[in-house]
Amino acid sequence: AIAIILVAVAVYTTTQYKNSLTQAKNPSQSETPSQAETETEPVVDTIAAIDFTLKDLNGKEVALSDYKGKKIYVNFWTTWCKYCIYELPYIEQLYKDNKDTDLVVLTVDLQEKASEVSKFMTDNKYSFPVLLDTKGEVANQYGVQSIPLSLLIDKDFNVISAHEGYMESYEMLKEFVDQQQNDK
């Protein structure tokens, strides 16, 4: 009788363990991967933005501090990242909608050749600014561990919010950039 009970407990425990692993990998059947991967993690306290200077696709040096006094949206991405590619049309729209506002849209391509990025931009008819972090140094300074990663920098040159994962819609991106400093 004790052996049967132990076998039953072992089977039950093993089944529960396997179910918990499956649940951890797939939080729910109705939840899409994009929902699981696009949670905004607001920065608890404002953090001073780290200045950097990178070249754009035309070889011109651009410093983040050139835009002090403006709200700055920065997105780290690559041409091979499928989630980056999903959100780039929204970034293009954001760029076009804010050309004449105090919002600056900058993207930072990580460790790719200028020729590859330039061809990608032309092929996809994107016009937003791209800065080239060819050695990944700026990504390291900002602690980028996965892409896409979006940062919002306020007019006082503080990072006030970060979003790891892609933006699922233009509305989601707009909501992110419309945050105010006190909405940490």
Side-chain angles (χ1 to χ4, degrees), residues 116-130:
E116 291 174 30
V117 179
S118 185
K119 180 181 181 338
F120 177 86
M121 295 292 288
T122 300
D123 290 350
N124 290 284
K125 299 181 173 103
Y126 292 137
S127 58
F128 54 80
V130 178

Side-chain angles (χ1 to χ4, degrees), residues 27-142:
S28 78
Q29 296 301 333
S30 64
E31 183 178 54
T32 62
S34 59
Q35 289 170 321
E37 296 173 10
T38 59
E39 294 184 20
T40 300
E41 301 245 349
V43 176
V44 176
D45 293 312
T46 58
I47 300 167
I50 302 166
D51 194 20
F52 60 81
T53 301
L54 294 171
K55 290 186 179 181
D56 67 12
L57 289 175
N58 298 316
K60 178 185 173 197
E61 288 192 345
V62 176
L64 185 63
S65 59
D66 292 344
Y67 303 104
K68 272 187 180 177
K70 295 185 177 214
K71 189 186 281 189
I72 309 165
Y73 168 76
V74 180
N75 180 271
F76 292 90
W77 67 287
T78 64
T79 63
W80 53 262
C81 165
K82 72 178 182 177
Y83 294 110
C84 300
I85 293 168
Y86 291 157
E87 78 177 354
L88 290 178
Y90 309 135
I91 293 172
E92 177 70 12
Q93 188 65 46
L94 182 71
Y95 173 68
K96 287 180 175 179
D97 289 351
N98 289 281
K99 276 188 170 181
D100 299 321
T101 70
D102 68 342
L103 175 68
V104 175
V105 175
L106 293 176
T107 66
V108 179
D109 178 84
L110 302 179
Q111 298 177 303
E112 294 184 288
K113 294 179 182 175
S115 58
E116 291 174 30
V117 179
S118 185
K119 180 181 181 338
F120 177 86
M121 295 292 288
T122 300
D123 290 350
N124 290 284
K125 299 181 173 103
Y126 292 137
S127 58
F128 54 80
V130 178
L131 305 179
L132 301 168
D133 188 9
T134 56
K135 295 179 182 176
E137 293 170 348
V138 172
N140 285 337
Q141 288 177 317
Y142 274 91

